[in-house]
Amino acid sequence: MAGNAEEAGRTRRKPSYPVSGRLSAYLARFRRELELPVTYGRLEAFRDSIPLADAEGRDTLWESVLYPHEEMEALKVDLKRIYALLKVHGDLSVVEHLYVDRVDFCSFGNSLPFRVRIVNGINENPDYFYIKKADASRVYGLELEHLLSPNRLNYFTQGATLVEEHVAGVPGDVFTKRWLENREIKPVRVAKELVKFNERCFLRLLGDMRSYNFVFVLTPDFEGWQVRIRAMDFDQQSWSGRRTFYLPQFFRENLALVQFTTSLLDTAYQYQREERTLLLQRAEAAQQRLDILLDAMAVDEIAPDANVIALRQDLAAHFDADAFLKCESMAALIRENLRQIQMEDVRGPLRGTTG
């Protein structure tokens, strides 16, 4: 893989889109829309905040927020209820030994998230979850990740509130600095996973996968570490009009990883083909649910018309396929991407590749 870092590094800020009635009906049907004990609006009523530094004293861009004592005590109880919904279908008896240690807020990013740190009182092991403003782009991104990637995601909505579980792993920028040259990790496994991640993002149109927007999940194996890359930011689902925006290989922030991969892989197409096959299998397994989701997405306003037109032209040229020019929505472009890889077995390798 190779990348033009300059092109993809420039993007204007994406607006937030409300959750439509049709998307809300989808979420309710598949038990994503619930009555939540804490809404985003309730968390906004904090009185004060303290900048949060990391273990080395550096600014994290997060602030720990403070509430009046009476509100904080009631809030802690309700936040534990949300954690129970995420982890054990609301069974509070399983989480009695947990306590809410801290609520943090970040004004950097589209979703203006609150992060809740919850700790096991028996062994002091921490976990996190997030409460954010519900943005339709992000909700579609979460659901497409759940249906089309190897990862399952727990999240819930209530109106303008979105609750997400924490995606655990080593942030991509940290991995690049501290782990990339680790001899315990086989370089070809990193390279293979980056190719497959690149393919997944491109085919389901998940954009802005810079190194700080995805994590590496490392699993020890009898022959070294297994590696998986997981997206953890879904704000830029199907918004940009540039094809390269959906390819992690083109971001300046990923250049070290791209160069590392390029030097190791002579068989990138094999791994692209593997991921396309797996993605189609996931799509077929969730066909009814995916169709309902994309039907809602097709009539939702989640990107300017100019972006749809620009992207369909770019994809038509990339794949040498005029069928893209008939697409009127981002959902139609995702469907056409899937159709193109379905046809691969019939006509041979696609004209366009992500390399």
Side-chain angles (χ1 to χ4, degrees):
M1 300 192 305
N4 180 345
E6 294 296 326
E7 178 187 358
R10 297 188 295 268
T11 181
R12 50 195 183 129
R13 191 177 181 88
K14 183 192 80 68
S16 179
Y17 294 98
V19 174
S20 66
R22 193 158 182 173
L23 177 55
S24 182
Y26 170 92
L27 295 168
R29 176 172 179 174
F30 294 102
R31 295 190 57 77
R32 298 292 200 184
E33 175 80 7
L34 301 177
E35 186 172 344
L36 299 172
V38 179
T39 63
Y40 185 90
R42 182 177 172 186
L43 290 180
E44 283 185 299
F46 61 88
R47 292 285 181 87
D48 204 354
S49 64
I50 302 170
L52 186 64
D54 65 14
E56 299 176 359
R58 295 172 298 197
D59 185 11
T60 62
L61 302 178
W62 289 84
E63 303 173 27
S64 291
V65 294
L66 306 175
Y67 298 86
H69 177 73
E70 298 79 6
E71 169 60 9
M72 188 69 244
E73 293 307 306
L75 190 59
K76 286 180 177 180
V77 173
D78 289 338
L79 289 171
K80 279 181 60 173
R81 291 173 60 198
I82 287 186
Y83 187 77
L85 285 171
L86 282 170
K87 298 297 184 179
V88 288
H89 299 289
D91 185 355
L92 289 173
S93 66
V94 180
V95 298
E96 288 181 350
H97 58 289
L98 303 180
Y99 66 91
V100 174
D101 179 54
R102 200 175 68 222
V103 179
D104 305 323
F105 173 71
C106 182
S107 59
F108 177 78
N110 288 343
S111 58
L112 300 175
F114 287 91
R115 179 179 64 194
V116 180
R117 186 176 194 265
I118 195 157
V119 179
N120 186 318
I122 298 174
N123 56 27
E124 296 302 308
N125 184 49
D127 197 4
Y128 302 87
F129 66 91
Y130 300 84
I131 299 180
K132 306 176 179 180
K133 291 183 177 180
D135 168 44
S137 301
R138 187 173 187 90
V139 173
Y140 282 119
L142 287 163
E143 192 65 14
L144 285 168
E145 178 77 0
H146 183 77
L147 298 178
L148 296 180
S149 85
N151 310 303
R152 304 271 86 55
L153 290 177
N154 287 329
Y155 73 91
F156 299 113
T157 63
Q158 181 186 329
T161 297
L162 170 65
V163 174
E164 290 179 39
E165 69 177 349
H166 176 62
V167 177
V170 181
D173 52 344
V174 176
F175 180 90
T176 301
K177 293 175 183 176
R178 301 181 184 178
W179 287 77
L180 198 57
E181 303 299 332
N182 190 316
R183 294 184 180 181
E184 294 183 18
I185 298 175
K186 292 186 177 181
V188 70
R189 290 183 175 176
V190 178
K192 174 183 176 180
E193 181 58 21
L194 186 59
V195 170
K196 293 165 79 72
F197 180 66
N198 200 66
E199 196 71 14
R200 286 199 297 274
C201 293
F202 177 63
L203 293 172
R204 41 97 27 128
L205 297 183
L206 176 61
D208 201 26
M209 282 297 103
R210 307 167 202 263
S211 58
Y212 47 78
N213 287 333
F214 59 83
V215 299
F216 281 80
V217 180
L218 306 174
T219 305
D221 193 13
F222 70 95
E223 287 190 354
W225 294 80
Q226 295 290 347
V227 177
R228 174 174 289 177
I229 301 177
R230 291 191 60 177
M232 65 173 181
D233 192 314
F234 302 92
D235 287 334
Q236 298 284 344
Q237 174 66 50
S238 303
W239 186 79
S240 175
R242 298 199 315 275
R243 174 184 62 88
T244 53
F245 194 69
Y246 302 103
L247 291 162
Q249 71 187 73
F250 283 101
F251 286 101
R252 178 179 62 252
E253 292 84 351
N254 301 340
L255 185 58
L257 280 171
V258 170
Q259 291 173 335
F260 184 79
T261 299
T262 304
S263 67
L264 288 168
L265 279 184
D266 296 322
T267 56
Y269 177 68
Q270 172 194 338
Y271 300 125
Q272 290 175 330
R273 183 67 186 272
E274 284 181 12
E275 193 56 37
R276 290 170 185 169
T277 300
L278 289 170
L279 192 145
L280 280 180
Q281 290 173 353
R282 296 175 199 125
E284 290 170 2
Q287 189 64 62
Q288 180 185 25
R289 184 164 172 172
L290 181 62
D291 282 341
I292 297 170
L293 180 71
L294 292 177
D295 285 346
M297 188 177 177
V299 296
D300 241 348
E301 181 186 358
I302 58 169
D305 290 341
N307 288 11
V308 177
I309 293 169
L311 184 57
R312 75 188 183 190
Q313 292 172 340
D314 207 351
L315 290 173
H318 176 72
F319 285 111
D320 191 23
D322 289 344
F324 283 99
L325 300 177
K326 300 177 183 179
C327 296
E328 299 292 336
S329 67
M330 290 293 186
L333 291 174
I334 292 175
R335 279 189 161 122
E336 187 57 36
N337 270 350
L338 294 174
R339 195 179 77 85
Q340 289 293 319
I341 59 175
Q342 281 177 322
M343 294 172 61
E344 188 174 18
D345 288 331
V346 176
R347 68 185 183 192
L350 298 178
R351 285 288 300 274
T353 69
T354 55

